[in-house]
Amino acid sequence: MNVQASWARVVNWCHDHAPETAAAIRPPAAGALLRQAEQATSGSWPEDLRTWYALADGTQRTPAGYVLPFYCPLPLHAVVSHWSMWQDIWAAIAASSRNEEADRRLRVLGGIPEDPYDIARLEAQPAGTAAGMFLPSFVPIAEDQSGSDMFVDTRSGRLRGCVTEFVKGDADTWGPKWPSVTAMLADLAEGLQAGRPVGGWLPIVIHGRLDWEVAARA
């Protein structure tokens, strides 16, 4: 199932069952804004990510906006601001680490240790490989409003375009949740219509808005 078909099913389901959430979905992003956002971040988005934003520019930042399990899809302006924020945060962390730990590491290890914040090395690894930091090739697409983001990994490799959580305290160590935006939206559409878990969370409706609860294990 392609992005257009899956997203149409999601939107239709929300209109029928969760009208508050349907109202929180923003209109399609303008083509010029989409190109600007792509250039301001990795500069090379997967086609299915561009297609999704051409259908809807994220959601409003409200309790009704959690279209994804515990994540609100980001409007393009927030994609750029989150990406810039993460770059600033990790540049500061890398600089601090080098300044405070370099001498100690050299003495303990008796040589030059591998820099855990070597962006060139981490960018060269295949998509889906845990980086432990928010790389320039990571495009944030959704937020939980508590310090964690969901992102698309635009590095090369078999899993280019995979969707991964960047979790507060654990970075990207949990690994990809979906192999692509296409797969994510298909899973979401099927889960909503069948009333089954999506990414480990069961969709429910509370006061006209889509909500999520932990799926019971069999």
Side-chain angles (χ1 to χ4, degrees):
M1 186 175 298
N2 61 31
V3 170
Q4 292 93 333
S6 294
W7 187 243
R9 292 175 68 188
V10 170
V11 173
N12 289 337
W13 185 94
C14 289
H15 277 296
D16 291 341
H17 302 281
E20 293 295 320
T21 297
I25 297 172
R26 292 166 55 90
L33 293 178
L34 181 52
R35 289 189 293 273
Q36 290 171 11
E38 182 173 7
Q39 292 169 2
T41 54
S42 73
S44 178
W45 290 11
E47 184 61 33
D48 58 359
L49 179 57
R50 287 195 293 268
T51 299
W52 188 28
Y53 273 99
L55 297 171
D57 187 14
T59 62
Q60 302 293 339
R61 199 172 190 265
T62 71
Y66 287 84
V67 175
L68 299 171
F70 283 100
Y71 281 88
C72 290
L74 292 168
L76 286 177
H77 68 85
V79 170
V80 175
S81 64
H82 278 231
W83 184 88
S84 298
M85 174 195 70
W86 284 119
Q87 302 314 305
D88 291 343
I89 288 172
W90 284 98
I93 291 173
S96 175
S97 174
R98 284 191 292 269
N99 291 339
E100 295 176 3
E101 298 182 15
D103 290 342
R104 179 182 64 80
R105 286 176 176 172
L106 284 171
R107 287 195 300 270
V108 171
L109 299 176
I112 300 176
E114 184 178 79
D115 182 0
Y117 306 113
D118 182 349
I119 292 178
R121 176 179 62 82
L122 296 170
E123 287 278 10
Q125 293 179 338
T129 305
M133 65 179 294
F134 203 96
L135 295 175
S137 289
F138 293 173
V139 179
I141 62 169
E143 63 172 340
D144 72 350
Q145 299 186 24
S146 297
S148 300
D149 277 0
M150 191 176 286
F151 70 88
V152 169
D153 189 341
T154 68
R155 288 178 292 179
S156 61
R158 182 177 59 85
L159 286 177
R160 169 175 159 78
C162 63
V163 180
T164 304
E165 290 177 279
F166 199 88
V167 180
K168 189 176 181 179
D170 289 330
D172 60 339
T173 56
W174 295 2
K177 288 183 68 67
W178 291 281
S180 64
V181 169
T182 300
M184 177 185 73
L185 295 179
D187 189 27
L188 176 62
E190 291 291 337
L192 292 177
Q193 293 196 326
R196 64 160 177 75
V198 180
W201 300 96
L202 188 68
I204 59 174
V205 175
I206 298 177
H207 302 307
R209 63 177 170 83
L210 175 60
D211 209 334
W212 301 89
E213 63 181 14
V214 178
R217 293 186 178 181

